[in-house]
Amino acid sequence: PQAKLGWLMTWAYAKDAEHGGFANYNHDQMTMYNAIVDAAVRVMQDYPELSFLIPCGTAVQNLRSSFIGENVTRDGSHLDLEIGRLTAAYTVFATLFGEEATIQNTYHPLNQLSEDTLMIARQAALDAVRNPFAITPQNHPDTWQDILSEHGYNLVTVTDLTDSTKI
C-alpha cells in the first residue's frame, strides 16, 4: 500500500540509428527527443497515480552534449554497457535517493571510466532530475565544483605527483 509508481522517460536514438522505428521521427534525434518529452509531460499530467518521473531520456541528451557525444549507445538505440547505462543508473539513483546520495556515490563499472567521464555522467543525471524536460549542455567544467560546494565538498584535482608525495 505504500508503493509509489513512477514513469521512466526513455531516450532518443543515436543520430545514425538504423532502427526501423526511427523513421517515425524522420530519422531526427531532436524530433524523437521532443516527442519523448511531450509524451512524458502528458503521462505525468494524465495519470495522477504516478508520483515521480525518472528522466533518463534527458540525462542521455545532456550526456550527448558533452565530450561523450554520440558514444552513448551500442547499436543506435540500446545504451552502451558503460557510460550510457551508468548515466541512466545515476538518474534513477538521483530520482529515488536525491542529489546528495548521487554526489557521494562512487560506484562505476569495472573502474574503467575516467574521473572526468564519471563527473559528466553524474552531472548529466543531476541536471536531468533538476530540469527533466530540457537539455542542459554539459560543456561547463566549473558546474561540478559548484554543486560540490553547495553540499560542503571541495573538488581536488591532482595533476602532478612525485614519489615523495603521499595522499
Side-chain angles (χ1 to χ4, degrees), residues 98-110:
E99 290 183 21
E100 185 76 16
T102 303
I103 289 169
Q104 294 176 354
N105 184 349
T106 59
Y107 171 79
H108 59 95
L110 307 174

Side-chain angles (χ1 to χ4, degrees), residues 16-124:
D16 62 353
E18 296 180 11
H19 190 283
F22 203 28
N24 296 326
Y25 307 97
N26 298 318
H27 298 278
D28 183 78
Q29 186 180 84
M30 289 310 299
T31 298
M32 186 174 187
Y33 171 73
N34 289 327
I36 291 167
V37 166
D38 291 346
V41 167
R42 207 169 41 251
V43 132
M44 295 306 292
Q45 289 172 347
D46 292 350
Y47 296 93
E49 62 270 24
L50 295 174
S51 301
F52 58 91
L53 172 76
I54 302 172
C56 287
T58 297
V60 167
Q61 285 305 122
N62 289 347
L63 189 64
R64 284 176 169 149
S65 74
S66 75
F67 63 87
I68 305 296
E70 289 294 313
N71 299 312
V72 179
T73 63
R74 61 185 183 270
D75 61 2
S77 60
H78 296 94
L79 294 177
D80 82 321
L81 302 180
E82 290 184 350
I83 190 66
R85 283 187 178 178
L86 183 62
T87 302
Y90 281 150
T91 307
V92 172
F93 198 81
T95 300
L96 298 179
F97 300 107
E99 290 183 21
E100 185 76 16
T102 303
I103 289 169
Q104 294 176 354
N105 184 349
T106 59
Y107 171 79
H108 59 95
L110 307 174
N111 296 323
Q112 293 180 356
L113 300 174
S114 72
E115 285 301 315
D116 288 342
T117 302
L118 293 172
M119 285 192 293
I120 288 293
R122 286 187 194 107
Q123 185 66 48

